[in-house]
Amino acid sequence: MAMTDDAQTDFTKLTDADWRERLNAAEFRVLRQAGTEAPFVGEYTDTKDVGVYSCRACGAELFRSETKFDSHCGWPSFFSPLAGEAIIERHDDSLGMRRTEVLCANCHSHLGHVFAGEGYDTPTDLRYCINSISLTLSTD
């Protein structure tokens, strides 16, 4: 599990060796190498607990449970991040298709992808499909 530091740490300056000390092998593969955990196995896929989801790598707050919804896709889904500046969205052309990757703005760790226009009954028509292993839930 990731260690937390004070607000003075510039997580974007950490090396792969630093990250390997902070994260276990599965966390490193997803968060630092843009891997994906298997569907329907993540800790938070079906969680209904109320709280704040933070980046497992650096502790930055990313999503609130009030924006989590059942998409039945196999990963936790949110219709909005906590704040626009909490995440970075960038084009991802891997796997032969154009997707939008979601990164933690604080440490640039891979969280998952965001999809638009899928027809979910949510206020934004967005689905932030996030790997459970990228998150830590703090309950109220």
Side-chain angles (χ1 to χ4, degrees), residues 16-87:
D16 278 351
D18 295 329
W19 283 115
R20 286 185 190 279
E21 287 181 22
R22 301 173 68 81
L23 304 170
N24 68 38
E27 292 167 343
F28 184 84
R29 186 183 67 77
V30 173
L31 287 156
R32 303 308 304 170
Q33 296 180 315
T36 301
E37 67 186 342
F40 301 104
V41 299
E43 178 180 5
Y44 303 121
T45 301
D46 298 316
T47 299
K48 305 282 189 215
D49 294 344
V50 175
V52 176
Y53 291 87
S54 299
C55 176
R56 187 164 299 200
C58 72
E61 293 184 352
L62 302 169
F63 300 94
R64 291 205 177 276
S65 58
E66 292 84 2
T67 66
K68 189 172 186 286
F69 69 99
D70 292 326
S71 66
H72 308 287
C73 71
W75 295 274
S77 296
F78 303 86
F79 60 79
S80 177
L82 188 62
E85 60 273 359
I87 61 161

Side-chain angles (χ1 to χ4, degrees), residues 96-129:
M97 66 181 112
R98 167 125 320 170
R99 299 180 295 169
T100 302
E101 181 182 16
V102 179
L103 305 166
C104 172
N106 192 51
C107 70
H108 298 184
S109 288
H110 173 78
L111 303 172
H113 290 85
V114 61
F115 302 95
E118 296 180 315
Y120 288 103
D121 186 22
T122 61
T124 63
D125 199 24
L126 296 173
R127 176 173 60 95
Y128 287 85
C129 183

